[in-house]
Amino acid sequence: MRKHIVAGNWKMNTTVAEGVELAKAVVAASAEVPADVKLIIAPPFTHLYPVAEVVKGTRVGLSAQNCADHVKGAYTGEVAVNMISGLGAEYVILGHSERREYYGETDATLVEKVKLALAEGLSPIFCIGEKKEEREAGRHFEVVTEQVKNVLFELSAEEMAKIVVAYEPVWAIGTGLTATAEQAQEIHAEIRKVLAEKFGELAEEISILYGGSCKPSNAKELFACPDIDGGLIGGAALKAEDFIGIAVSF
Ligand code: 13P
């Protein structure tokens, strides 16, 4: 059976002290969540060290929000995969639409990052999703198919088995607009179909998360869909009560 995952992407929010408090609150409330749901939090880089201490030995996993596309060296301001794994993080979010849009990340860079993360033993949470104008033009299937093929088709089956996919329609991120359960299910099924073209039955084992204005009030309907295996949560992950409120929706 596919893993159910609820991951919180804190983006560029909270001070270190606030982040530690938030992590503690998530850990404290995590007992309410069914045991088969994996909880993950992704604080900013600066918070990873103290937050790792908070989640150590608990059921809450730790993720970074990005990593460098080089192993080490003269890349001022970048953070390497072994610096992330060295803190006890097991996941790294890659290809988020904000990184693609504001920091010019291309599919070619993402192939490098995904491969480096996997080689370091990290599981990438690989994000894909169409923009508003692409959906309006009816190109959403085409856009996500291309994102999957350009990056994930470069992996071996063994590597692919460690990937978590997150479908995040850009028009739903931070806008309060959520894809309907029907829209989300339809595209998740399509993503799985595309994965099956290359990876066969393994596609059935890959967790595909939905992201974009997911909150306690809409999570149940989304998570009830057969191809939606959890959520990548932004704004609602900044309040432990809302984050856990989403995770109990399974
Ligand atoms: P929101 O939940 O704030 O819409 O953000 C979703 C997201 O981008 C998670 O990575």
Side-chain angles (χ1 to χ4, degrees):
M1 209 181 90
R2 289 195 291 272
K3 240 192 255 167
H4 288 158
I5 299 172
V6 176
N9 175 8
W10 295 2
K11 308 192 180 184
M12 198 175 73
N13 292 296
T14 73
T15 62
V16 176
E18 287 164 351
V20 166
E21 287 313 306
L22 177 55
K24 284 183 181 167
V26 169
V27 168
S30 62
E32 296 168 32
V33 179
D36 67 337
V37 180
K38 178 72 192 167
L39 295 171
I40 301 169
I41 52 176
F45 283 132
T46 45
H47 304 28
L48 285 176
Y49 183 65
V51 169
E53 291 300 306
V54 175
V55 301
K56 202 192 247 167
T58 76
R59 61 177 289 184
V60 179
L62 189 61
S63 176
Q65 298 176 15
N66 183 29
C67 70
D69 56 347
H70 296 276
V71 176
K72 66 171 186 171
Y75 301 101
T76 301
E78 290 294 302
V79 177
V81 283
N82 67 350
M83 301 172 187
I84 295 166
S85 67
L87 294 174
E90 301 161 279
Y91 300 88
V92 56
I93 296 172
L94 290 174
H96 194 281
S97 61
E98 288 150 17
R99 301 245 21 121
R100 293 178 189 259
E101 173 97 11
Y102 309 143
Y103 301 98
E105 287 199 2
T106 62
D107 289 338
T109 320
L110 289 167
V111 172
E112 294 306 314
K113 292 190 177 196
V114 167
K115 287 198 172 244
L116 285 174
L118 287 165
E120 187 55 38
L122 294 168
S123 280
I125 301 173
F126 179 68
C127 306
I128 56 177
E130 82 285 358
K131 295 178 190 160
K132 185 164 177 268
E133 57 274 21
E134 292 166 336
R135 176 155 290 256
E136 283 169 355
R139 293 188 53 235
H140 42 295
F141 282 4
E142 188 189 320
V143 170
V144 297
T145 298
E146 202 166 295
Q147 291 169 332
V148 166
K149 288 191 171 173
N150 288 349
V151 180
L152 300 181
F153 275 26
E154 296 299 314
L155 305 180
S156 67
E158 200 185 326
E159 289 174 321
M160 185 63 213
K162 301 206 175 73
I163 301 277
V164 176
V165 176
Y167 166 66
E168 300 203 302
V170 179
W171 48 272
I173 295 177
T175 57
L177 289 174
T178 317
T180 63
E182 196 181 19
Q183 284 172 324
Q185 163 56 28
E186 173 187 60
I187 199 153
H188 278 232
E190 180 69 18
I191 293 162
R192 202 177 302 286
K193 200 173 99 192
V194 174
L195 288 172
E197 282 176 27
K198 161 104 178 157
F199 299 103
E201 285 178 6
L202 176 63
E204 284 300 315
E205 307 295 317
I206 305 295
S207 298
I208 307 180
L209 316 184
Y210 169 79
S213 300
C214 188
K215 40 191 182 267
S217 58
N218 58 26
K220 213 175 185 70
E221 199 187 352
L222 288 160
F223 294 173
C225 298
D227 287 289
I228 301 180
D229 307 305
L232 182 56
I233 319 300
L238 295 172
K239 272 196 189 156
E241 194 187 328
D242 289 347
F243 183 60
I244 296 297
I246 291 169
V248 295
S249 303
F250 270 111

